[in-house]
Amino acid sequence: MGTGRKRKNAGVGIDFKKAKHKVGKKLKKAQNETDTTIKSQAIHMPDQSLANDKEGKAVTSRNLTLKDLVTQLGHYNAKVRRDALTGMGELFSAHPEELTQHAAMIIESIGEMAVDLDGAVRAQLLKLLSTQVFPNLTGGSLQPFVPLLMAHVCSSMTHAAMEVRSDALKFLNELMNHEPGLITAEFLLDCLEHFADMCGSLGRSRSLESLSQATMLKVLNAVTSFLTRVCETWSTPGSSPDGLINSDSPTSVLMSNRCDFAFADIRRFQAAISQSERKKVRDAPTAFERLFSRLLSLLSAGCTGLSEGGGVLADSVLAIQLTSAAMESIFHLFMLADIQHTKGVDCPFPLSPASIKKMSKVLASQVCTHFPMTLPDREVELNVRMLVSAFNCGTSRLLLRVLENADQGVSQPLILGPLVKFYMSALTVKEDKSAAVEAGRSELNMVLPDMFKIIPLLDDKMRHALLEAAGNLCIETDRDSHTKLQVLKLLHDVVQESFKLHGSTIADLDDELVISWLKMIPRIMWAAGIKNPEITKVCLSIVQHLSRTGNASILQQLGKMNKEFTLMFVIAKESKNKKVKASPGPLHKLPIDLQLLAVDILYYQPSLGDIILKTCLAVCMMKCYPIETCQRLLYAVSHAASSQRVSEKALNSLLVGLVTGNSEWDVGQQKCDSRDWGRSMLLCSGACELICSTGDENGVEIAKSIDGMLREGLVLDGRLKTAEEVRHLIGVLSFVNFVTRLGGPPGNELPTHLPSLVMSYLLAVAEDVAGVFSEKGALGDELAIDLIASCTGVLRKVFCLIEEKVMELQKRGLSSDTVQGLDHLCQVLLVLMNSPNRKDVMEGGPQIRGMMVGLNKMSEDSRLGTEVEGKFRDKVGKLGALCEHLFAFG
């Protein structure tokens, strides 16, 4: 049998080869197999089709109406919901009427976004509320929707997601910015309960603990912000703390009429709360105590994370923040309780003695071990310094609060020691511009207003050291520094309390310490000038109080400061020709209330020296000082003169200056206008008051003063020429008229110059010298008539002087000047003959007859034909008729 042989080409001649199948092997695709796979992609078009006609409707740039945007708020895609809120902001910005017309629908729709799980949606909602919804719903339009919004906010505050709870605090803060009164009145207890729930325990592991502390810090800051706004709201007059949702309140009634669905949502929200929780929400003291207990636990937990020895380590920064925030929140809870106690509301939020005692122990045992917190010698970042300052300030305020409750069982030395140490370190910060000093200044400014509360609790040595450091700091700080103002306010409060007449809580201060404060005050006021009137006001208040209540040594120091004190009013410098030139001091540009406060100090000065009286006269002559300040100065001098605390020579010089309008010092361009008749008359009245205050009853000294005025302040040649001379004469005559009406000097003691002054004045009125008597407010003939009526014998002497004047003019012969002079004399005679003092007029008959003869002759001989001549003849005719009536001769 033969052997088989294989073919070379096995496939040749075979059309279809049979495939061999093996287990587990995939069959190969046939060569002619068709691929049936289909691929597709979705096309997203954010812009709507322009085919839809929305002409006449308010739309966004994407052609979306408000209805479209509200619909998109319910979309499953977070980006679509976010874009819908963005579109609403765009729509309300371009068409604000859309918001006001559809407020109910809009707030109902966007309120649900407060619990949205997407952070971008919540952020866009907050932006929409803060920039469009809340600002545009004004005039009470937002109030009906606050309950609905608060329902959503409270729901988000109890959400399972931490991010949602964190954003809920932002929504609540925004609502408090716009409707604090309504939220405080109706939702306070709910917010306190939710805050207490959010202030839970810290995490257990180190990483979780850091995360929990950061989160808790945000919550505490929100609690502080909320309580601050509540305190501000309750501090306003008319607020009524209630804390419960009252169905009979005006808000509820308005809500039921305009937004029925809102209360339904609130009822559903309240139904979700358990019966026990709802009872706690409605129990005000329980809510208050519960939040306080949680905050105290956080404070204690924060203290455990602080470094030992009062220093600062890198890992304790977060603990410092947490501790400071907890103390700030506790402090505002105290403020809330104080406000309610002050207003006497029916539902107060008291802190039980047990709670306060517990807090006192935590502060004494845990916080005080780290207080005051110090910084290392090496350079520390500014934010760390500010954190330490916040911690020290918050601790000092709470420690002061504990000291105010002396019956809480805590030893005062445990708290006083660290507190005084902190205050001394704050008061001894050196002055420079470094970041460390700026942080220290900020810390000091925060604690200075409360520093006064601890001073009554200190012994003499500690109190002296603390106040001495405060005085030194006041000298070292810049003139415009806010710290200087705060320190001065502290010293002012100490002075007021220490020198109180009854019931002072501060023992008598050391005289040397008080005198050192007085010595620095003039320099401080001069440095403050017109740029910082508050500093000047506090300094003046300190000096005024010490002037009123100070002892002999303090009053002696005040007497030594007269010259320094007067520089605030007038700066006097002696020139080369030995004449003193005066210019206004810083007070002239300060408000009038500060000027009057400075003047009031003079009432209590032991004596008013010559420098003060000269300053007083210079102030009265300066137009930059108001008349109210001048009058108050004269009242002060009058008060001193009545108690013989002013020298007679200085007082007479002041009287001469006030009456004549001349000052011993040259005030230059600041001198008052001589035509200011109102001011001139008020100054003359002030001079008269000064005369009355001297107690001179027989009038002898008054007559001497008048003669002195005529000799020193008035130089006349028989005819007035300027407004200043008229001002001098009016002052003298007004003064004489006043004192004679008071039963002043008898007739034989009147000034010898008085008749000539009366005639000069009447001639000045007839001539209208410098046009002053035609001005508004100027005096006229009545001043001379009143004086003649009160001074017997003056009128006859005036007639004699006029007769001499007529004879003198007759000798000159006829001329225009002579006729004009005679015309003025006729005018004076007409005024005098109509005087109510008819007895003196009749006794002057011989002089009048002699004058009429000469006047008639001059009238007949005049042939000038001028207008003045015509007036002269008319007056001569009137005089003749008047004489015929009085004396029965033609």
Side-chain angles (χ1 to χ4, degrees):
M1 190 169 98
T3 58
R5 297 177 62 185
K6 288 185 179 181
R7 295 182 180 179
K8 251 181 198 181
N9 297 324
V12 177
I14 300 175
D15 294 333
F16 299 98
K17 186 178 180 180
K18 185 178 180 180
K20 295 181 179 179
H21 300 283
K22 292 184 179 180
V23 179
K25 295 292 186 178
K26 187 177 180 181
L27 293 177
K28 295 181 179 180
K29 293 183 179 180
Q31 294 180 355
N32 59 348
E33 182 179 357
T34 303
D35 187 6
T36 59
T37 304
I38 300 176
K39 295 181 180 180
S40 64
Q41 289 184 347
I43 300 176
H44 297 279
M45 298 182 61
D47 294 334
Q48 300 297 310
S49 174
L50 298 178
N52 296 329
D53 185 13
K54 298 181 180 179
E55 185 177 357
K57 296 181 180 180
V59 295
T60 63
S61 59
R62 295 168 51 197
N63 202 31
L64 295 175
T65 63
L66 178 62
K67 184 178 180 181
D68 298 333
L69 295 172
V70 170
T71 303
Q72 290 184 359
L73 289 178
H75 200 275
Y76 67 89
N77 193 331
K79 292 184 178 179
V80 176
R81 299 195 299 272
R82 181 201 62 190
D83 293 341
L85 293 173
T86 305
M88 283 188 177
E90 177 188 348
L91 184 66
F92 299 154
S93 178
H95 305 280
E97 67 278 359
E98 289 291 307
L99 174 61
T100 55
Q101 293 175 4
H102 307 91
M105 177 186 68
I106 293 169
I107 292 181
E108 180 185 9
S109 302
I110 65 177
E112 300 174 359
M113 299 294 103
V115 293
D116 197 288
L117 295 177
D118 188 80
V121 175
R122 297 193 302 273
Q124 190 61 40
L125 172 62
L126 180 63
K127 181 179 179 181
L128 177 65
L129 292 174
S130 60
T131 59
Q132 295 295 333
V133 177
F134 291 163
N136 291 328
L137 291 178
T138 58
S141 302
L142 180 62
Q143 289 186 2
F145 309 108
V146 171
L148 177 61
L149 291 172
M150 282 301 300
H152 291 298
V153 170
C154 291
S155 176
S156 58
M157 290 178 72
T158 58
H159 200 276
M162 180 185 64
E163 294 81 3
V164 177
R165 297 198 303 270
S166 179
D167 286 344
L169 303 177
K170 300 177 182 178
F171 293 127
L172 179 60
N173 183 64
E174 196 63 37
L175 273 171
M176 286 294 290
N177 290 337
H178 292 83
E179 289 293 340
L182 184 59
I183 296 174
T184 300
E186 300 192 0
F187 301 98
L188 177 61
L189 297 184
D190 299 278
C191 293
L192 291 179
E193 277 293 322
H194 292 317
F195 277 131
D197 293 335
M198 296 180 74
C199 294
S201 60
L202 299 174
R204 284 171 288 186
S205 66
R206 186 171 183 81
S207 59
L208 288 177
E209 181 177 351
S210 301
L211 178 62
S212 299
Q213 285 186 354
T215 304
M216 201 60 62
L217 182 61
K218 296 179 181 179
V219 176
L220 290 175
N221 290 334
V223 172
T224 302
S225 176
F226 179 79
L227 294 177
T228 302
R229 298 302 300 272
V230 173
C231 292
E232 293 174 356
T233 304
W234 282 1
S235 299
T236 57
S239 60
S240 177
D242 183 27
L244 301 177
I245 301 179
N246 186 1
S247 59
D248 297 330
S249 65
T251 304
S252 301
V253 174
L254 183 62
M255 189 67 195
S256 62
N257 293 333
R258 295 187 56 183
C259 195
D260 293 335
F261 59 85
F263 267 105
D265 288 344
I266 294 175
R267 284 191 290 270
R268 287 195 297 270
F269 164 71
Q270 292 176 344
I273 305 176
S274 64
Q275 193 70 21
S276 60
E277 289 293 328
R278 190 185 312 170
K279 182 178 180 181
K280 284 194 296 181
V281 169
R282 295 295 171 258
D283 188 4
T286 302
F288 198 76
E289 290 280 354
R290 186 163 173 258
L291 178 59
F292 179 78
S293 177
R294 292 291 179 89
L295 293 175
L296 199 59
S297 300
L298 289 176
L299 175 62
S300 179
C303 290
T304 59
L306 298 177
S307 59
E308 296 295 335
V312 178
L313 299 177
D315 57 352
S316 64
V317 170
L318 194 58
I320 296 175
Q321 291 178 311
L322 182 65
T323 307
S324 301
M327 287 191 293
E328 191 72 15
S329 299
I330 293 174
F331 179 77
H332 281 85
L333 278 180
F334 273 110
M335 290 182 60
L336 195 65
D338 287 345
I339 294 173
Q340 288 198 328
H341 177 71
T342 302
K343 303 192 77 165
V345 296
D346 296 333
C347 184
F349 287 173
L351 282 176
S352 64
S355 298
I356 298 179
K357 187 174 182 180
K358 182 179 178 182
M359 184 197 69
S360 303
K361 291 183 177 180
V362 170
L363 291 175
S365 61
Q366 298 186 30
V367 179
C368 283
T369 58
H370 307 282
F371 174 76
M373 187 173 290
T374 57
L375 292 168
D377 296 334
R378 57 183 175 83
E379 289 294 329
V380 181
E381 296 180 358
L382 179 60
N383 61 337
V384 177
R385 293 185 180 275
M386 299 306 294
L387 288 177
V388 173
S389 296
F391 173 83
N392 289 334
C393 294
T395 305
S396 64
R397 291 200 296 180
L398 275 183
L399 291 178
L400 276 176
R401 189 58 191 241
V402 172
L403 290 175
E404 291 175 1
N405 297 271
D407 56 344
Q408 301 306 322
V410 178
S411 178
Q412 284 191 355
L414 293 177
I415 297 178
L416 276 178
L419 201 55
V420 173
K421 181 181 178 182
F422 166 64
Y423 286 153
M424 290 297 295
S425 63
L427 289 172
T428 53
V429 177
K430 295 183 179 180
E431 184 71 18
D432 59 51
K433 300 297 182 181
S434 64
V437 172
E438 290 298 326
R441 284 283 180 263
S442 176
E443 176 182 280
L444 179 61
N445 291 333
M446 286 188 285
V447 301
L448 271 174
D450 297 326
M451 196 178 293
F452 172 75
K453 299 176 183 178
I454 196 178
I455 293 178
L457 305 175
L458 303 178
D459 55 29
D460 294 342
K461 183 177 180 181
M462 295 177 68
R463 181 173 61 249
H464 185 276
L466 190 65
L467 294 178
E468 186 179 18
N472 294 335
L473 178 64
C474 191
I475 298 175
E476 295 172 0
T477 50
D478 294 336
R479 62 179 183 179
D480 298 329
S481 172
H482 180 69
T483 304
K484 183 184 288 289
L485 177 61
Q486 294 297 326
V487 175
L488 284 172
K489 287 183 178 180
L490 171 65
L491 300 182
H492 173 266
D493 294 340
V494 171
V495 167
Q496 274 199 326
E497 183 63 29
S498 177
F499 290 91
K500 189 185 295 184
L501 297 179
H502 303 287
S504 175
T505 59
I506 301 178
D508 293 338
L509 297 176
D510 184 23
D511 288 348
E512 294 183 1
L513 181 63
V514 178
I515 290 175
S516 67
W517 296 347
L518 282 176
K519 289 181 179 179
M520 72 180 181
I521 281 179
R523 287 178 289 169
I524 293 175
M525 289 194 297
W526 184 260
I530 62 175
K531 294 182 179 180
N532 203 328
E534 291 187 17
I535 289 181
T536 304
K537 183 176 182 179
V538 177
C539 291
L540 291 174
S541 298
I542 293 175
V543 177
Q544 184 199 35
H545 195 80
L546 290 175
S547 301
R548 292 172 52 201
T549 59
N551 53 30
S553 60
I554 293 177
L555 293 179
Q556 184 180 4
Q557 177 61 32
L558 287 172
K560 296 178 182 178
M561 294 168 55
N562 281 347
K563 186 174 182 180
E564 297 177 83
F565 185 70
T566 55
L567 290 176
M568 294 297 296
F569 288 96
V570 176
I571 304 171
K573 295 181 180 180
E574 187 174 351
S575 59
K576 295 181 180 179
N577 56 2
K578 302 300 181 179
K579 191 171 184 180
V580 179
K581 291 187 176 182
S583 57
L587 273 177
H588 83 283
K589 289 187 177 181
L590 293 176
I592 188 172
D593 60 325
L594 293 188
Q595 297 180 16
L596 299 181
L597 181 60
V599 173
D600 289 344
I601 297 174
L602 300 179
Y603 279 95
Y604 311 102
Q605 290 286 334
S607 63
L608 301 186
D610 294 352
I611 185 70
I612 290 184
L613 294 187
K614 291 179 180 179
T615 301
C616 176
L617 180 58
V619 169
C620 293
M621 296 297 107
M622 290 181 176
K623 59 186 177 182
C624 58
Y625 282 102
I627 189 62
E628 293 83 2
T629 302
C630 301
Q631 288 179 308
R632 187 72 70 90
L633 270 171
L634 296 181
Y635 293 155
V637 176
S638 176
H639 181 267
S642 63
S643 56
Q644 299 180 351
R645 292 185 288 122
V646 181
S647 67
E648 182 179 349
K649 181 179 179 181
L651 183 61
N652 286 339
S653 299
L654 177 61
L655 289 173
V656 171
L658 292 174
V659 173
T660 62
N662 285 330
S663 173
E664 184 177 345
W665 292 345
D666 182 14
V667 297
Q669 297 180 353
Q670 287 293 333
K671 188 173 184 179
C672 297
D673 189 359
S674 300
R675 300 172 185 269
D676 190 355
W677 302 115
R679 187 183 183 99
S680 300
M681 292 301 100
L682 288 173
L683 293 179
C684 289
S685 299
C688 298
E689 294 289 340
L690 283 176
I691 284 293
C692 295
S693 65
T694 59
D696 182 26
E697 297 179 355
N698 56 16
V700 176
E701 294 299 327
I702 296 178
K704 292 181 180 179
S705 298
I706 296 174
D707 280 331
M709 292 176 195
L710 299 180
R711 288 192 302 269
E712 299 178 21
L714 196 63
V715 179
L716 297 176
D717 57 359
R719 184 175 180 182
L720 304 180
K721 299 177 182 179
T722 63
E724 188 172 358
E725 290 180 346
V726 175
R727 159 69 176 88
H728 294 177
L729 184 56
I730 289 178
V732 172
L733 294 180
S734 300
F735 183 79
V736 175
N737 190 20
F738 178 83
V739 295
T740 52
R741 283 183 176 276
L742 292 178
N748 58 352
E749 294 177 354
L750 283 173
T752 55
H753 300 287
L754 188 57
S756 62
L757 292 179
V758 173
M759 189 187 74
S760 298
Y761 177 75
L762 291 173
L763 282 175
V765 176
E767 297 174 5
D768 192 13
V769 174
V772 296
F773 292 98
S774 58
E775 294 181 357
K776 183 178 180 181
L779 296 175
D781 299 326
E782 63 272 9
L783 176 60
I785 298 300
D786 291 343
L787 182 58
I788 290 172
S790 59
C791 297
T792 307
V794 174
L795 183 56
R796 284 175 292 171
K797 295 180 181 180
V798 173
F799 280 145
C800 293
L801 293 174
I802 295 177
E803 184 181 16
E804 295 176 1
K805 195 71 174 176
V806 171
M807 293 176 61
E808 180 184 348
L809 291 175
Q810 283 180 336
K811 292 179 182 180
R812 292 182 184 180
L814 284 174
S815 66
S816 58
D817 293 338
T818 303
V819 173
Q820 190 172 19
L822 292 171
D823 178 66
H824 293 155
L825 289 174
C826 290
Q827 178 66 32
V828 173
L829 281 173
L830 285 173
V831 172
L832 293 176
M833 293 176 67
N834 285 307
S835 171
N837 195 348
R838 291 302 176 91
K839 181 180 179 181
D840 286 350
V841 174
M842 298 301 294
E843 291 179 356
Q847 290 83 10
I848 296 176
R849 290 188 183 95
M851 284 186 287
M852 286 305 302
V853 172
L855 290 173
N856 284 327
K857 187 176 185 308
M858 295 292 291
S859 176
E860 293 174 358
D861 295 343
S862 62
R863 296 289 185 271
L864 298 177
T866 60
E867 181 179 357
V868 176
E869 184 179 357
K871 293 181 179 179
F872 168 60
R873 288 178 178 175
D874 292 340
K875 291 177 182 176
V876 171
K878 292 180 181 179
L879 281 173
L882 185 59
C883 290
E884 183 178 358
H885 174 71
L886 291 175
F887 305 115
F889 72 93

